[in-house]
Amino acid sequence: MSGYVLTAEKITEFGEFLRKEECQRTTVEKYLRNVRFFAAWLDGRAVDKELVTQWKACLQERQFAPSTVNSRLAALNRFFGFAGIEECRVKFLHIQRCAFREDSRDLAREEYKRLLEAARHTGKERLGLVVETIGATGIRISELAYITVEAARRGRTTVDLKGKMRAILLPGKLCSKLLAYARKSKIRSGEIFRTRSGKGLSRRQVWREMKQLGHRAGVESTKVFPHNLRHLFAIVFYKAYGDIVKLADILGHSSIETTRIYLMTAGKEHVRQLNRLGLVM
């Protein structure tokens, strides 16, 4: 080991590298944040495999969720590849797939309706329409920028992210709502969901406003975040049509295994399924 010291300058260079690789802005931010966490823990010590292994154990001792540990290790491993010190890479934690979702994260259809009603009653028209758009199409929060006036007129939009392009069809009723909102807001073209200054809504802003909306609607905060609307769409679509292949295409998943994760039932439903087996005499 050559005694590689992780400096602020090297982390900045890593960020530039990720941007040139056309990584998502949120991915770049997450990777840099996690590498900085590790650098602070190193406190000036040179990087080696043993220290990285200690860092991994430290995260586990501090009872971080396995998925969080793996997320931080992914950032480090990507950095080590960039820095040419592949020998420092460590293995991820093995996480056994869970057969059900935690009840605290399972957003029910009725709770979704309460969010929309709360938005209407409190005059949060834009936020309500954001919730409805994600819920009715299953798009990612990062894909909101592709919901434009032109797209609402055509009834479809084309998303180009991570080097992948896919067409997203928009329900007719949703298109009517989007165009009515655009006319009211004097938006003639381009992105429909904008701030007062004309910039597109940020992930952080939508997240914050949704948490406030959840409080007003009486929905647990653990259930109210943009990506959970995508899970709700997946569950409702699959229950209606039972076509996991088509659902994977709609969600933009390259693997059906990813789509299966979206379709996990809540813990309470899983218990009901076990009870219906009638194997306890």
Side-chain angles (χ1 to χ4, degrees):
M1 185 63 214
S2 60
Y4 187 97
V5 177
L6 210 171
T7 64
E9 290 75 19
K10 289 172 180 175
I11 296 175
T12 299
E13 290 173 8
F14 177 52
E16 291 303 316
F17 165 77
L18 293 175
R19 294 183 187 97
K20 288 179 182 177
E21 290 288 298
E22 298 183 3
C23 292
Q24 288 259 49
R25 178 181 58 81
T26 51
T27 300
V28 175
E29 291 174 354
K30 181 173 70 173
Y31 276 23
L32 292 180
R33 181 168 60 251
N34 287 333
V35 172
R36 290 188 182 108
F37 282 145
F38 177 61
W41 180 83
L42 282 175
D43 194 25
R45 290 174 292 178
V47 182
D48 60 32
K49 179 68 173 283
E50 184 178 349
L51 281 175
V52 181
T53 303
Q54 288 179 24
W55 167 242
K56 176 181 175 181
C58 179
L59 294 175
Q60 292 177 269
E61 289 169 4
R62 292 169 62 183
Q63 297 186 335
F64 282 98
S67 58
T68 300
V69 174
N70 283 347
S71 177
R72 296 194 172 187
L73 294 178
L76 287 187
N77 285 344
R78 186 71 182 270
F79 176 81
F80 296 150
F82 157 77
I85 48 174
E86 297 276 359
E87 64 271 23
C88 289
R89 293 171 62 93
V90 293
K91 293 181 179 180
F92 297 120
L93 297 179
H94 177 70
I95 304 174
Q96 184 174 347
R97 178 182 294 157
C98 185
F100 55 88
R101 275 164 58 86
E102 293 294 333
D103 293 319
S104 62
R105 292 173 66 86
D106 188 53
L107 181 68
R109 190 168 188 156
E110 285 304 312
E111 291 171 321
Y112 169 72
K113 290 180 180 178
R114 276 159 49 194
L115 291 174
L116 296 179
E117 289 170 2
R120 281 193 289 270
H121 292 157
T122 56
K124 300 290 183 181
E125 184 179 7
R126 183 186 67 189
L127 179 59
L129 196 51
V130 165
V131 171
E132 205 162 15
T133 298
I134 298 175
T137 62
I139 62 172
R140 301 176 177 89
I141 182 66
S142 58
E143 296 168 344
L144 266 184
Y146 293 90
I147 304 300
T148 63
V149 174
E150 294 78 8
R153 288 174 181 154
R154 291 193 304 266
R156 61 186 295 155
T157 187
T158 301
V159 170
D160 183 4
L161 284 175
K162 299 182 180 179
K164 300 178 184 177
M165 295 183 68
R166 81 179 194 280
I168 295 174
L169 300 181
L170 307 176
K173 190 174 180 180
L174 176 64
C175 289
S176 297
K177 287 189 172 187
L178 290 168
L179 291 173
Y181 173 79
R183 285 193 298 270
K184 182 178 178 180
S185 303
K186 296 182 171 54
I187 299 173
R188 295 181 175 80
S189 64
E191 291 183 49
I192 291 177
F193 298 114
R194 309 178 183 182
T195 63
R196 291 180 180 177
S197 63
K199 295 181 180 179
L201 293 181
S202 68
R203 178 193 305 262
R204 184 175 300 175
Q205 183 173 357
V206 174
W207 183 289
R208 183 179 64 250
E209 291 184 7
M210 278 190 64
K211 290 294 184 183
Q212 294 170 348
L213 183 65
H215 179 72
R216 295 190 183 98
V219 180
E220 293 179 39
S221 63
T222 54
K223 300 180 179 185
V224 186
F225 53 95
H227 202 72
N228 223 16
L229 297 171
R230 186 166 153 86
H231 278 273
L232 176 65
F233 170 86
I235 291 169
V236 173
F237 182 94
Y238 187 73
K239 283 182 178 179
Y241 303 109
D243 191 337
I244 193 171
V245 175
K246 186 172 184 179
L247 177 58
D249 288 340
I250 291 172
L251 295 175
H253 291 158
S254 56
S255 169
I256 289 179
E257 290 304 306
T258 303
T259 312
R260 286 182 59 194
I261 296 172
Y262 281 62
L263 300 178
M264 288 190 297
T265 57
K268 290 179 181 177
E269 176 60 23
H270 187 69
V271 170
R272 282 195 290 269
Q273 291 171 346
L274 295 178
N275 289 336
R276 285 198 293 268
L277 295 177
L279 293 175
V280 178
M281 305 299 178

